[in-house]
Amino acid sequence: DMTVTELRHYDGNQPDGRVLVAVNGWIFDVTRGRRFYGPGGPYAAFGGKDATRGLATFSVTSSDKEYDDLSDLNSMEMDSIKEWEAQFRENYDLVGKLLKPGEEPTNYSDEETEETEPVNNPEDKKAQ
């Protein structure tokens, strides 16, 4: 998970050449599509940025806002975003969430946590 500011570092111009693009609040690693999203590509404006508004409005520009809540988009544009998100999920690796201002990143640890309290299951009460 990262902020818009952190995302900007992944535009393909850094030594490792990694390119990340955010779509509808999710961040995708589009490095294998570098010829499209990397420096000099036709969609380079989306590299290291939140591409949602540009994809929704068919404009190859990205938002420079700290966080774009998309609240002014119409239903057709929102439907378009969902279609783009599905395409990105199908073609690229999901790497995390685009964080809203003040939002904390999720801990995606592989370590199992111990449960200290038993989980109450409503089915248990029906059986008694």
Side-chain angles (χ1 to χ4, degrees):
D1 297 353
M2 60 183 76
T3 64
V4 171
T5 302
E6 293 167 327
L7 179 63
R8 288 186 189 126
H9 298 287
Y10 298 95
D11 62 359
N13 286 308
Q14 69 282 12
D16 69 0
R18 191 169 184 202
V19 183
L20 302 180
V21 172
V23 178
N24 202 22
W26 298 105
I27 300 171
F28 297 90
D29 186 334
V30 300
T31 305
R32 69 172 162 252
R34 183 179 168 79
R35 67 181 183 273
F36 297 108
Y37 301 103
Y43 303 105
F46 295 153
K49 303 273 180 68
D50 181 358
T52 309
R53 180 172 296 277
L55 293 170
T57 59
F58 301 100
S59 172
V60 186
T61 58
S62 57
S63 176
D64 286 330
K65 293 181 181 179
E66 183 56 35
Y67 185 84
D68 189 348
D69 70 4
L70 310 170
S71 59
D72 61 327
L73 297 181
N74 65 39
S75 61
M76 278 185 22
E77 291 166 333
M78 291 305 292
D79 288 344
S80 178
I81 288 169
K82 290 175 186 165
E83 289 174 23
W84 277 108
E85 179 187 341
Q87 287 184 33
F88 273 76
R89 284 182 180 272
E90 190 174 307
N91 294 304
Y92 300 108
D93 294 329
L94 175 66
V95 296
K97 259 188 343 188
L98 186 63
L99 298 173
K100 297 174 185 170
E103 186 177 11
E104 292 294 320
T106 303
N107 180 6
Y108 296 102
S109 173
D110 287 338
E111 295 177 21
E112 291 189 27
T113 57
E114 288 185 32
E115 289 188 27
T116 54
E117 303 264 336
V119 177
N120 290 330
N121 185 344
E123 296 300 316
D124 292 341
K125 290 182 181 176
K126 288 181 184 175
Q128 292 177 349

